[in-house]
Amino acid sequence: MKLLLSAAFVALATAPAMADEIRIAHIHDSTGALEAYAEQSQIGLMMGIEYATDGTMQIDGNDLVVTEYDSQLRPDLGRALLAQAFGDDDAAIAVGPTSSGVALAMLPVAEEYERILLVEPAVADSITGSDWNRYIFRTGRNSSQDAISNAIALGQEGVVIATLAQDYAFGRDGVAAFREALAGTPAELVHEEYVPTDTTDFTAAAERIFNALQEHEGDRRLFVIWAGGGNPMGRIQAMDPSRFGIQMATGGNILPAMAAYRDFPGMEGATYYYYEIPQNPVNQWFVEQHMERYGTPPDFFTAGGMAAGIAVVEALRATGGSTDTEELIAAMEGMHFETPKGEMWFRPEDHQAMQSMYHFRIRVEDDVDWAIPDLVREITPDMMDVPIRNQ
């Protein structure tokens, strides 16, 4: 039976690690537009370590000490903090960050120091693709897994799709992967639109999208790929795209963001996690404990953080508590581990975690503050031909 912990196991000191400590750096963007994601990731990471160690927060007598760093959505700061964590603070493993842009800046630091960076939850394909190195692992889903699962959900005969995404690595990689995945379906991608991350007026972009979709007969969908605040779906819906026969579509999100999905009953897409979907012992413990401690169900990025925490513990357990990087890489390549989503494993070729995604259909209930993504079907790893992009 898993133990509950009342003590905080977060260390902020920068003194060298003691012989009986294993230091884990958590670098996340707790300042800025992704603050909610970062907070969830931190809670999940600690719960994952707690769960996987039966509440002891130890591996073979070594205390697992987590140090937090705020990269503030700044790639230069993320790079510097990872160098500090590995060089000055003697972290054996780092977890994070939240932003794909920050993650891409951090990857070479892991290679320079020859230590593991476990990426969670940054999504861009290039992290385990063109910019990857052998010290990078990822528990978070990548853009291809998002894209392929949404293509499976939306890619039906007669469907024509336009995309709207943020103009940076997350949005560009996401659309590129979606375009590639959709090519294997009967649906057709007819227009791509990119806007700055701080856009508040979507009128011009929406008009270009509406005009492009009107040139095609069929079931017209606007698929939105968006991270952080300022999600445009509500603003675009206010322009009444339905007068052109256009329906909105998007992937899953955190519960506060999914409050806006209440305006889209019946909308379909694919999601990484929703607390009521997975049925397994890890998720049962996770949901019960999160409800008891925080009064809310665990969310999208809490689940990712917990997966990362479990992966760290299982890797260290496999090495007998050794933090030698080569031993950790050998243990983690191909490693299977249980998470709130069920089983994941690190693909040896690019260290990307293989995992299920979930095709959903939105349902609205009066007594639930957010839209409910009812499960249509689980999209298992064998249903997704996730490209290996690092070669």
Side-chain angles (χ1 to χ4, degrees):
M1 185 173 181
K2 304 300 174 186
L3 303 178
L4 302 182
L5 299 184
S6 58
F9 287 86
V10 179
L12 299 178
T14 59
M18 303 297 291
D20 59 350
E21 287 184 352
I22 297 174
R23 291 197 168 185
I24 302 161
H26 189 203
I27 300 175
H28 53 129
D29 302 290
S30 56
T31 300
L34 303 183
E35 177 182 352
Y37 298 1
E39 180 181 1
Q40 289 184 14
S41 184
Q42 173 65 17
I43 290 171
L45 177 66
M46 300 308 294
M47 291 184 73
I49 295 172
E50 175 188 341
Y51 179 88
T53 61
D54 286 325
T56 67
M57 307 299 275
Q58 291 185 336
I59 291 289
D60 290 349
N62 298 298
D63 291 329
L64 302 182
V65 181
V66 176
T67 309
E68 288 188 68
Y69 305 79
D70 179 10
S71 44
Q72 302 177 28
L73 289 176
R74 290 172 46 195
D76 60 331
L77 183 56
R79 184 188 308 113
L81 289 173
L82 185 58
Q84 176 188 329
F86 286 151
D88 297 334
D89 302 347
D90 200 26
I93 299 172
V95 178
T98 326
S99 159
S100 292
V102 176
L104 290 169
M106 291 167 58
L107 304 187
V109 179
E111 186 171 34
E112 177 186 350
Y113 283 87
E114 299 184 344
R115 296 194 189 181
I116 300 295
L117 171 60
L118 179 58
V119 176
E120 174 65 52
V123 176
D125 266 345
S126 46
I127 293 167
T128 44
S130 58
D131 292 286
W132 176 86
N133 62 69
R134 64 190 297 267
Y135 303 98
I136 306 306
F137 288 78
R138 174 159 51 186
T139 48
R141 89 282 188 205
N142 65 16
S143 291
S144 287
Q145 287 165 315
D146 266 351
I148 294 168
S149 58
N150 276 285
I152 290 172
L154 301 175
Q156 306 302 316
E157 188 71 46
V159 174
V160 291
I161 301 175
T163 59
L164 173 62
Q166 291 154 304
D167 194 6
Y168 79 115
F170 168 74
R172 290 275 177 180
D173 279 12
V175 172
F178 182 71
R179 183 195 316 120
E180 182 179 355
L182 203 67
T185 76
E188 183 181 4
L189 180 61
V190 299
H191 183 77
E192 299 173 16
E193 191 75 30
Y194 301 93
V195 296
T197 57
D198 58 355
T199 300
T200 57
D201 184 354
F202 295 91
T203 305
E207 287 178 353
R208 288 190 292 270
I209 292 167
F210 295 169
N211 290 336
L213 284 171
Q214 286 181 85
E215 294 177 1
H216 299 269
E217 295 296 327
D219 184 357
R220 299 166 179 157
R221 306 286 181 97
L222 169 53
F223 180 59
V224 178
I225 298 177
W226 201 267
N231 192 301
M233 289 182 60
R235 295 181 180 92
I236 293 175
Q237 184 73 355
M239 300 177 203
D240 192 18
S242 62
R243 71 186 190 274
F244 305 118
I246 299 170
Q247 301 177 64
M248 303 295 290
T250 193
N253 211 320
I254 62 174
L255 297 180
M258 290 190 66
Y261 290 23
R262 289 175 58 85
D263 294 333
F264 308 98
M267 180 175 69
E268 294 188 41
T271 190
Y272 168 79
Y273 176 80
Y274 180 68
Y275 72 98
E276 291 183 324
I277 292 177
Q279 302 296 316
N280 61 70
V282 182
N283 196 52
Q284 181 179 355
W285 180 90
F286 185 40
V287 173
E288 289 174 354
Q289 292 303 316
H290 199 281
M291 288 292 295
E292 182 174 317
R293 301 176 195 193
Y294 301 102
T296 61
D299 210 340
F300 206 90
F301 295 103
T302 334
M306 185 170 182
I310 292 170
V312 167
V313 172
E314 292 304 323
L316 289 167
R317 183 172 286 132
T319 65
S322 171
T323 59
D324 178 80
T325 300
E326 292 305 318
E327 291 185 42
L328 285 168
I329 291 173
M332 294 174 74
E333 287 185 339
M335 183 179 81
H336 289 240
F337 52 103
E338 296 296 328
T339 79
K341 296 180 61 177
E343 185 181 60
M344 291 187 188
W345 66 93
F346 289 121
R347 185 164 60 182
E349 293 88 347
D350 61 359
H351 302 171
Q352 173 63 48
M354 299 291 99
Q355 56 196 284
S356 288
M357 301 287 281
Y358 308 103
H359 177 186
F360 67 80
R361 182 178 296 114
I362 290 298
R363 173 169 56 90
V364 176
E365 294 289 344
D366 291 340
D367 58 348
V368 179
D369 292 338
W370 53 83
I372 301 167
D374 279 338
L375 179 65
V376 176
R377 56 176 165 164
E378 180 177 353
I379 303 171
T380 55
D382 61 291
M383 297 170 64
M384 294 182 282
D385 185 13
V386 180
I388 297 171
R389 302 186 186 275
N390 65 344
Q391 298 174 0

